[in-house]
Amino acid sequence: MKYGRKRVLVTGGAGFLGSHLCERLLDDGCDVLCADNLFTGTKDNIAHLLGNPYFELMRHDVTFPLYVEVDEIYNLACPASPVHYQRDPVQTTKTSVHGAINMLGLAKRVGAKIFQASTSEVYGDPEVHPQTENYRGSVNPIGPRACYDEGKRCAETLFFDYWRQHGLRIKVARIFNTYGPRMHPDDGRVVSNFIVQALEGRPITLYGDGSQTRSFCFVDDLIEGFLRLMATGDDVTGPINIGNPREMTVRELAEMVVAMVGSKSGIVFQPLPADDPLQRRPDITLAKETLGWTPKVTLEEGLERTIAYFRARMQA
Ligand code: NAD
Ligand code: UDP
């Protein structure tokens, strides 16, 4: 950056996490370019930002090269829910891999710092619990989740090869399950599914016996972690786990949502999807030490805010 505001590219900026990130970057005085092909993202997510002269939406697919001048890149473009990323698995792999190559190429040409939205899915169905960054994972390379898991793993490989080979400034975050306002009501993720089902008084769909565990982070906490990671010195590359270590079974989550919504919904059991990880909890020691970061929003508070969002959306 020579003069004026920091120019920041957010790929996937019209999605759930991306829209919150764009909003926060604008609040921090950045000039934000959101590049999104609107596969799962929507203009609604960023409609409130479109009037801001320092915000720009560009309809672009990251599997194609992009020539822009920016100082920092957050690479978030990729469908994230199993239902969405399995809809066109070949495109999912291309988005992760070709998208990473294109964004890394851009970062190299303009000398930008680049952040990768990686995932706890790189750990697969983990045998190490909680998951630490040095755990190499247990991923089925040919299963229905592989397009996402292996795509994200290959993207990490590319990031570290560009760092080793070209000295790029990279920041890799491994994101654990995150929830909050602007999740898609129909993307099949557990928090949005349960809230929408409870609000509509429909049965809660529990996959398997509901004993599998997850750890849920509220979106505001996650975005704070992103910004802190991006602001670290060049010696910090990650990967760093960012997530909330409070672990619970999916069944407990269902009961909590039903109680908080005040719903009469019962539970209906459905088959556990193939390769669904049985347990997941981040070890966030590294994030605490390196970024001084811990999640602040309790699950009760975060769910309250998310339920209010879906309630308002359904009444609109
Ligand atoms: P999302 O589906 O809401 O957002 C993804 C965005 O990427 C959408 O706006 C979509 O239109 C866009 N996109 C998809 N393919 C694209 C392409 N080829 N070119 C340009 N844009 C494209 O999902 P999200 O939850 O906001 O996830 C954002 C990122 O964070 C993803 O990379 C995801 O893998 C990662 N992540 C999310 C979670 C989570 O719990 N939400 C967990 C781990 C990792
Ligand atoms: N799940 C469920 N009912 C639903 C949606 C999801 O029981 O309606 C379970 C799913 O099988 C998984 C967990 O909730 O064990 C989290 O699923 P999600 O798709 O949100 O994210 P994942 O962590 O699997 O990528």
Side-chain angles (χ1 to χ4, degrees):
M1 178 180 59
K2 293 197 179 87
Y3 308 103
R5 294 173 185 248
K6 196 189 287 173
R7 300 160 305 175
V8 184
L9 168 65
V10 180
T11 75
F16 162 48
L17 300 182
S19 62
H20 287 275
L21 176 62
C22 289
E23 202 172 271
R24 176 71 194 271
L25 289 167
L26 288 168
D27 285 347
D28 289 353
C30 298
D31 184 340
V32 177
L33 172 59
C34 162
D36 200 302
N37 68 352
L38 304 183
F39 176 60
T40 52
T42 64
K43 280 190 181 171
D44 284 339
N45 284 341
I46 47 158
H48 61 299
L49 307 178
L50 289 172
N52 186 323
Y54 296 105
F55 180 76
E56 190 181 344
L57 168 65
M58 181 182 191
R59 200 184 282 247
H60 176 77
D61 184 325
V62 294
T63 62
F64 294 92
L66 178 64
Y67 291 85
V68 291
E69 306 304 312
V70 289
D71 306 301
E72 290 182 353
I73 302 168
Y74 287 86
N75 187 36
L76 271 61
C78 187
S81 90
V83 171
H84 283 155
Y85 69 64
Q86 289 170 18
R87 187 168 299 158
D88 185 349
V90 173
Q91 172 69 7
T92 298
T93 303
K94 281 188 189 169
T95 294
S96 278
V97 177
H98 294 191
I101 292 170
N102 288 327
M103 291 309 114
L104 286 161
L106 170 62
K108 181 170 166 241
R109 181 179 67 79
V110 299
K113 230 194 279 189
I114 180 164
F115 170 103
Q116 168 66 358
S118 192
T119 168
S120 52
E121 283 285 320
V122 300
Y123 301 125
D125 190 2
E127 306 109 327
V128 167
H129 195 70
Q131 291 78 57
T132 44
E133 289 83 352
N134 58 10
Y135 173 53
R136 294 180 184 180
S138 167
V139 172
N140 175 3
I142 56 168
R145 294 174 90 103
C147 58
Y148 183 74
D149 300 8
E150 298 290 14
K152 289 285 186 178
R153 286 170 68 96
C154 185
E156 285 201 14
T157 305
L158 285 160
F159 268 69
F160 278 85
D161 281 337
Y162 269 78
W163 170 67
R164 273 186 290 264
Q165 197 174 333
H166 300 297
L168 239 64
R169 294 176 296 156
I170 62 161
K171 309 283 173 192
V172 176
R174 290 188 179 150
I175 305 166
F176 283 66
N177 295 62
T178 302
Y179 69 99
R182 299 197 206 118
M183 291 185 88
H184 312 254
D186 58 356
D187 76 354
R189 276 188 271 195
V190 68
V191 175
S192 44
N193 263 14
F194 287 180
I195 292 178
V196 172
Q197 289 162 349
L199 285 170
E200 291 177 349
R202 288 189 287 119
I204 305 291
T205 51
L206 206 54
Y207 301 160
D209 62 4
S211 63
Q212 68 273 32
T213 68
R214 292 293 187 273
S215 309
F216 299 100
C217 185
F218 189 67
V219 60
D220 292 2
D221 280 332
L222 190 86
I223 301 300
E224 176 64 30
F226 283 13
L227 295 178
R228 287 188 188 211
L229 177 55
M230 191 59 125
T232 51
D234 294 348
D235 56 320
V236 178
T237 57
I240 294 191
N241 290 339
I242 306 191
N244 190 316
R246 176 172 170 188
E247 182 183 6
M248 64 197 313
T249 65
V250 171
R251 187 179 190 129
E252 283 167 337
L253 176 74
E255 288 162 356
M256 199 169 161
V257 168
V258 169
M260 287 179 72
V261 168
S263 168
K264 295 201 174 12
S265 292
I267 284 177
V268 47
F269 291 92
Q270 294 186 357
L272 192 67
D275 296 336
D276 197 289
L278 292 181
Q279 53 181 3
R280 186 183 285 156
R281 169 156 60 102
D283 180 319
I284 58 165
T285 310
L286 191 60
K288 279 184 191 159
E289 288 173 1
T290 315
L291 313 176
W293 177 86
T294 46
K296 298 277 185 283
V297 182
T298 64
L299 186 61
E300 289 74 10
E301 194 184 332
L303 283 178
E304 206 62 73
R305 286 160 70 178
T306 312
I307 291 167
Y309 165 79
F310 280 110
R311 211 188 281 278
R313 216 188 129 115
M314 284 166 62
Q315 283 162 1

